[in-house]
Amino acid sequence: MTAWKNSPILLKNSQILLRVQTFILLLVCMMTTVFAHAAKIENVRIWPAPDHTRIVFDLDQPVGHKVFSLSGPDRLVVDLDNVSTKANLETLSLKDTPIGKIRTAVKNRTGMRVVLDLNSKVQPRSFLLKPNKQYGDRLVIDLVHRKKVKRTKVVRQLAENPSGGRDIIIAIDAGHGGEDPGAIGPGRVREKTVVLAISKKVESLLKKERGYTPAMIRTGDYYVGLRARTERARKFRSDLLVSIHADAFKDHRPRGSSVFALSQRGATSETARWLADSENSADLIGGVEGSLKLDDKDKVLAEVLLDLTMTATLSDSLKVGQSVLRSMGTVNKLHKRDVEQAGFVVLKSPDIPSILIETGFISNPSEAKKLQSSSYQWKMARSIVKGVKEHFSKNPPPGTLLAHEKSKRDRLYVVSRGDTLSGIASRNKISVGSLRKANKLSSDTLYVGQRLQIPRS
């Protein structure tokens, strides 16, 4: 019996068995480690926009991925490494997107393959976003539409105006949107929803005003990069950019409306600085990739051009901002009586007067309740439009219908006590004869209150 136990054959078989068991144990440990560290897809969201569709994967940690296109038929394939999910991608709403169907499958046992069946050509781009205050790790995939969105319709309509001038174009920018909800107030009311509602009401009111045409920067619940907002306003050839917000503060007590213009030297108050930092961080939330990078020479040139043009633009911004602020003061308490200045990225357009309106503090319970009210939104929209109109009635841009009508009004002179025909002609550098002819006067006799048309010299 002892001899059998010590047999070379049995010992060899025992060693082989031990090695197999050890290998299996190591393999199980490795698989357990792999699955323990697998990334989890916690949620998937789709945000359709006019020029692109954004797909966002909410993750518990970064994930390796690869994106490539296939043709015949058109498909986009997204391979995710070492990932698991409870989200059902195949039930996502695909309305207003170029995606016809979503299919998923396991890849290499631990990975996942997502196939998007496409109805039209797209240009894909993807990038990972790090966690911030509102979201964890995210994988963002943008499907950029090949067909360019036509934004020249507004300009074409205004190229010729039989009334004697073009319309004043007001770019209306509803803050935040899509992946970026903005500030969140009591009852989970979201800034992006409130300001889009107010912006659409401003658009509706301006459409009814003779001599004005509104142009919306975003028309739905999708994100637009801060730099892209000013670029879109420029494509519209806008005369004014109005960015509408309803921000929050760390303390729920502050309340009231504010208007901001760009500051070249920094914020005018600690509150303004805090709000500016909050707004500028929106690109970190929304995820802007591939921003323009200038070399040293281009930066110097850009700074020179900015210095040459910003002074006049900033002056106009402050004027229209003060007019809007006065008008808003009839609807809501003002947080500050004067236009504040801060370094908001959306205001950094050297050639377009731009203002940022804080309609109220959504962190304040009473203001949050008002901002959700449709009737209050209409009141706020009317006050904004009134302020804009009051400014442009006095300062219409050259070449516009309002400028043409103002020039006609300015050429009228109302006779005051002590006026003489020769004195009026001299002050306007015209002859008495041309003044008589323009007004069909048979004598030099004038009366107080008489209106005289002053011909151009």
Side-chain angles (χ1 to χ4, degrees):
M1 190 71 176
T2 304
W4 173 250
K5 285 184 179 180
N6 294 329
S7 167
I9 296 175
L10 184 59
L11 288 172
K12 186 175 182 179
N13 287 340
S14 298
Q15 290 173 350
I16 292 172
L17 181 61
L18 181 62
R19 289 175 181 175
V20 171
Q21 289 174 335
T22 303
F23 175 76
I24 292 172
L25 182 61
L26 287 171
L27 184 62
V28 169
C29 289
M30 288 174 64
M31 293 298 292
T32 303
T33 302
V34 167
F35 284 114
H37 291 85
K40 292 181 181 178
I41 301 174
E42 297 175 337
N43 191 27
V44 182
R45 302 185 302 283
I46 295 183
W47 304 101
D51 56 353
H52 74 282
T53 294
R54 171 162 290 189
I55 306 171
V56 181
F57 293 82
D58 286 319
L59 307 164
D60 67 344
Q61 63 185 25
V63 66
H65 71 284
K66 182 180 179 182
V67 178
F68 58 93
S69 300
L70 297 174
S71 57
D74 291 324
R75 288 155 290 160
L76 186 73
V77 179
V78 182
D79 282 342
L80 304 170
D81 300 333
N82 193 24
V83 70
S84 63
T85 182
K86 292 182 179 179
N88 189 349
L89 278 69
E90 297 177 14
T91 61
L92 290 171
S93 173
L94 305 178
K95 185 181 178 182
D96 300 325
T97 76
I99 306 169
K101 186 179 180 181
I102 298 179
R103 294 177 284 124
T104 61
V106 176
K107 183 177 183 294
N108 296 336
R109 295 187 178 180
T110 62
M112 180 179 179
R113 169 163 286 185
V114 180
V115 181
L116 310 178
D117 295 329
L118 302 172
N119 297 325
S120 59
K121 298 283 187 182
V122 298
Q123 182 66 47
R125 64 185 181 193
S126 65
F127 51 94
L128 290 168
L129 289 175
K130 295 179 180 180
N132 56 45
K133 292 179 180 179
Q134 297 184 28
Y135 297 104
D137 288 286
R138 285 156 294 159
L139 169 62
V140 178
I141 299 173
D142 283 338
L143 310 180
V144 182
H145 305 169
R146 290 284 181 89
K147 294 180 180 179
K148 293 184 178 179
V149 179
K150 295 181 179 179
R151 294 196 183 94
T152 57
K153 183 179 179 182
V154 174
V155 178
R156 284 202 305 269
Q157 286 176 338
L158 306 175
E160 294 181 4
N161 191 322
S163 301
R166 66 171 180 83
D167 283 359
I168 294 174
I169 303 174
I170 309 296
I172 307 167
D173 171 39
H176 308 279
E179 181 72 359
D180 172 23
I184 299 176
R188 303 296 296 173
V189 55
R190 298 186 174 193
E191 179 185 358
K192 67 173 184 177
T193 305
V194 168
V195 299
L196 182 60
I198 295 173
S199 297
K200 286 184 175 181
K201 289 174 173 62
V202 171
E203 178 194 29
S204 175
L205 292 169
L206 282 173
K207 280 182 177 179
K208 299 174 183 177
E209 293 293 336
R210 182 169 175 271
Y212 289 89
T213 292
M216 294 286 283
I217 299 298
R218 73 173 176 97
T219 57
D221 188 12
Y222 51 85
Y223 183 75
V224 180
L226 297 175
R227 298 289 181 185
R229 293 172 194 254
T230 57
E231 290 170 6
R232 291 187 181 189
R234 187 170 287 106
K235 287 179 181 177
F236 285 129
R237 299 184 184 178
S238 305
D239 298 287
L240 174 67
L241 170 63
V242 179
S243 189
I244 299 177
H245 292 256
D247 223 318
F249 196 64
K250 51 192 173 184
D251 187 334
H252 71 275
R253 288 174 295 180
R255 57 184 292 263
S257 302
S258 306
V259 175
F260 290 82
L262 180 65
S263 172
Q264 292 173 303
R265 297 181 180 178
T268 54
S269 70
E270 194 63 33
T271 301
R273 187 179 293 108
W274 191 91
L275 290 171
D277 291 341
S278 174
E279 295 301 338
N280 293 344
S281 67
D283 273 340
L284 298 176
I285 297 172
V288 173
E289 193 74 0
S291 299
L292 179 64
K293 292 179 176 62
L294 303 173
D295 57 31
D296 291 341
K297 185 176 181 180
D298 287 334
K299 286 182 179 178
V300 173
L301 178 59
E303 287 175 4
V304 171
L305 293 173
L306 185 64
D307 287 340
L308 290 172
T309 58
M310 185 59 78
T311 302
T313 302
L314 182 55
S315 175
D316 286 341
S317 300
L318 291 169
K319 287 177 183 177
V320 68
Q322 198 63 46
S323 179
V324 171
L325 188 65
R326 281 197 304 269
S327 182
M328 290 171 63
T330 64
V331 173
N332 192 28
K333 175 184 178 292
L334 296 181
H335 185 63
K336 291 289 178 67
R337 290 284 172 184
D338 295 313
V339 176
E340 296 191 82
Q341 294 178 255
F344 291 105
V345 172
V346 76
L347 301 179
K348 293 184 178 180
S349 179
D351 55 343
I352 303 174
S354 306
I355 59 173
L356 186 146
I357 296 172
E358 296 290 0
T359 52
F361 280 86
I362 207 167
S363 51
N364 181 287
S366 63
E367 290 205 335
K369 185 177 180 180
K370 289 194 296 184
L371 288 168
Q372 294 177 78
S373 163
S374 179
S375 61
Y376 184 79
Q377 290 171 1
W378 277 112
K379 288 180 181 178
M380 185 59 67
R382 289 189 190 97
S383 71
I384 293 170
V385 170
K386 181 183 178 184
V388 169
K389 285 177 57 185
E390 286 178 353
H391 170 77
F392 282 117
S393 66
K394 299 174 184 176
N395 308 281
T400 60
L401 174 63
L402 268 65
H404 176 70
E405 293 179 344
K406 184 176 185 296
S407 68
K408 289 173 66 176
R409 291 196 307 270
D410 290 348
R411 299 304 293 176
L412 284 174
Y413 181 81
V414 180
V415 176
S416 300
R417 187 177 300 276
D419 277 337
T420 62
L421 203 63
S422 60
I424 295 171
S426 177
R427 287 196 298 272
N428 288 278
K429 298 180 181 180
I430 56 175
S431 67
V432 174
S434 62
L435 188 57
R436 282 201 201 99
K437 184 178 179 181
N439 293 277
K440 299 179 181 180
L441 299 175
S442 57
S443 70
D444 292 351
T445 303
L446 301 175
Y447 59 89
V448 176
Q450 184 177 359
R451 292 175 178 270
L452 298 178
Q453 184 71 41
I454 307 298
R456 297 187 182 278
S457 57

